[in-house]
Amino acid sequence: MIEVKNLCKSFEGREVLKDISTVFEDGKTNLIIGQSGSGKTVLMKNLVGLFEPTSGQILYDGRDFVAMSKTEKVMMRREMGMIFQAAALFDSLTVLENVMFPLDMFSSMNYRERKKRAMDCLDRVNLVGAEKKYPGEISGGMQKRVAIARAIALNPKYLFCDEPNSGLDPKTSLVIDELLHSITSEFNMTTIINTHDMNSVMGIGENIVFIYEGHKEWQGVSAEIMRSTNKRLTDFIFASDLLKEMREAVTR
Ligand SMILES: Nc1ncnc2c1ncn2[C@@H]1O[C@H](COP(=O)(O)OP(=O)(O)OP(=O)(O)O)[C@@H](O)[C@H]1O
Ligand SMILES: [Mg+2]
């Protein structure tokens, strides 16, 4: 569980995150949604320690992350898996070497154990057979799955994904969503996903935090969105006329 308490972040006096308090739960796919520029990436970067909050607390199962020393933060990061933007694989490494990379860096396993662990992770994302290929030789959806395998290699308790579906077609996005959802419950991880994707919101949104201009405007589960009367939320979700009609049909 990750608790965020009164988190604020400013850049040169400009407030980007305004007093955000929320809880991200274990075993759940927690989604952060909001318009472009609302602060989703900045929030996630604060959570993982890439940005320092201006004020506020971030508690990882009760452990105060903001107050930790640099060394303690590095230790905490080993409990986190991250999938940031365009898969960010190493182009000069094979698929297998990409997944082994965090194990090479941070585990005390020998080569055989590391290779086995990496192959198990590749198996989990259905990529056995692709281990000798280079990122440039596989599709975008496969690259995302490699990134997921790499992110779970060290068995993280917390998984962060910033727009995991960007650049993917709807069907492949669904595969990625289902994968993130199933590994989250399987390993009881606290998973946080930044997304624009309404299919993801409806499909795997077990706890949804809606950010509007840097503050938390709404929080709930996907089923509640359909009936919400929060205009900022419904304007954001039901931006298209077709979706508006569907909503009216449901709420009539
Ligand atoms: N390093 C930085 N320095 C100054 N301002 C920043 C910095 N990073 C982000 N911002 C500002 O913070 C605001 C929120 O940006 P952020 O990237 O979090 O939006 P987002 O919700 O992730 O948008 P998108 O959906 O487009 O990814 C923006 O106005 C952005 O310009
Ligand atoms: Mg972003």
Side-chain angles (χ1 to χ4, degrees), residues 224-243:
E224 289 165 353
I225 286 184
M226 280 299 192
R227 293 180 187 280
S228 170
T229 53
N230 182 314
K231 190 162 182 320
R232 285 172 176 167
L233 176 70
T234 52
D235 280 353
F236 171 70
I237 298 277
F238 306 106
S240 80
D241 289 342
L242 174 64
L243 283 170

Side-chain angles (χ1 to χ4, degrees), residues 44-51 60 65 73-89 102 106 144 146-164 180 189-192:
M44 191 169 276
K45 286 186 172 174
N46 276 277
L47 296 180
V48 302
L50 290 172
F51 285 149
Y60 279 86
F65 185 57
K73 279 186 183 157
V74 171
M75 293 303 288
M76 265 301 307
R77 283 221 193 90
R78 294 190 194 175
E79 297 181 27
M80 305 177 191
M82 295 177 207
I83 304 162
F84 269 73
Q85 57 202 28
L89 299 175
F106 298 118
K144 283 280 154 67
V146 176
I148 293 171
R150 187 176 63 183
I152 61 171
L154 286 167
N155 229 334
K157 279 168 81 170
Y158 315 98
L159 184 65
F160 300 90
C161 316
D162 197 1
E163 309 274 356
L180 290 172
M189 286 186 297
T190 304
T191 296
I192 303 181

